[in-house]
Amino acid sequence: MATYCIICGKQKNGIAIKDDRILDALRWFKKNVTRDEKGNKLVVCKEDYPAYRKRRDKYTSRQTLYVAIGVIFMILGLAASLSLSTLALGVLVIAVLYLLSLINYIPALDIKKEDKDVKEGKTKHKQ
C-alpha cells in the first residue's frame, strides 16, 4: 500500500492520519459512487509538518467559531421567540455552519498516548 502526504501530495513516509467519520464518508463515496478507490495510506511527511500544523489549527479554530456563532444565533432566536420552529431553525443553522467549517477540513494525526507521554517525559522508568 502506497503512502501519500496530504499536504504535498507526494509519495512519502510520515506520521499517519487518524481515520474518522469524514474520511470514512469520503472513502465510501469513492468506493461506491465513483468506483475509484485506491486504498492509499495518508500521512504527513516531516517536511510538511509545520504547514500541516497551521492548517489543522485554522480548521479547528474555525470549526469552534462557526459552531459558537450558530449557538449564539439559536440562543438569540429562542430569546426572541420561544417556539419549536425557532429551535428547529437554530439546530439547522448550527448544522449548516458546521458543514461550512468542513471546507477547511484537515484530519488529525494518529498519535498514540504512549508516544505523547514519551515526548513529554512522562514515562515511568522501572527500577
Side-chain angles (χ1 to χ4, degrees):
M1 174 180 345
T3 58
Y4 286 91
C5 176
I6 63 169
I7 303 298
C8 65
K10 297 178 183 174
Q11 188 172 355
K12 294 183 175 183
N13 291 325
I15 303 169
I17 296 299
K18 185 184 293 186
D19 286 335
D20 57 8
R21 285 182 243 142
I22 297 167
L23 285 177
D24 290 341
L26 290 171
R27 286 184 176 134
W28 177 89
F29 184 82
K30 286 189 72 140
K31 180 180 179 183
N32 295 314
V33 177
T34 64
R35 308 258 189 238
D36 189 31
E37 183 182 32
K38 295 188 173 79
N40 295 326
K41 183 177 177 184
L42 301 175
V43 298
V44 174
C45 63
K46 183 189 288 188
E47 295 83 21
D48 291 327
Y49 182 77
Y52 164 81
R53 190 76 254 155
K54 285 181 185 176
R55 290 175 66 180
R56 175 72 183 171
D57 291 343
K58 180 180 175 182
Y59 163 69
T60 55
S61 66
R62 283 197 178 177
Q63 183 179 36
T64 304
L65 177 68
Y66 289 1
V67 171
I69 290 171
V71 169
I72 290 170
F73 274 119
M74 187 165 102
I75 291 170
L76 292 175
L78 288 173
S81 171
L82 187 60
S83 68
L84 191 59
S85 61
T86 307
L87 179 66
L89 184 61
V91 170
L92 180 67
V93 167
I94 292 172
V96 167
L97 287 173
Y98 175 77
L99 291 174
L100 190 61
S101 75
L102 294 179
I103 290 173
N104 299 315
Y105 175 71
I106 297 292
L109 296 177
D110 191 15
I111 300 174
K112 295 180 174 76
K113 182 171 177 13
E114 302 87 41
D115 293 342
K116 288 182 185 177
D117 289 344
V118 168
K119 287 180 183 176
E120 296 172 2
K122 294 182 182 177
T123 57
K124 295 180 182 176
H125 298 287
K126 294 183 180 180
Q127 296 178 354

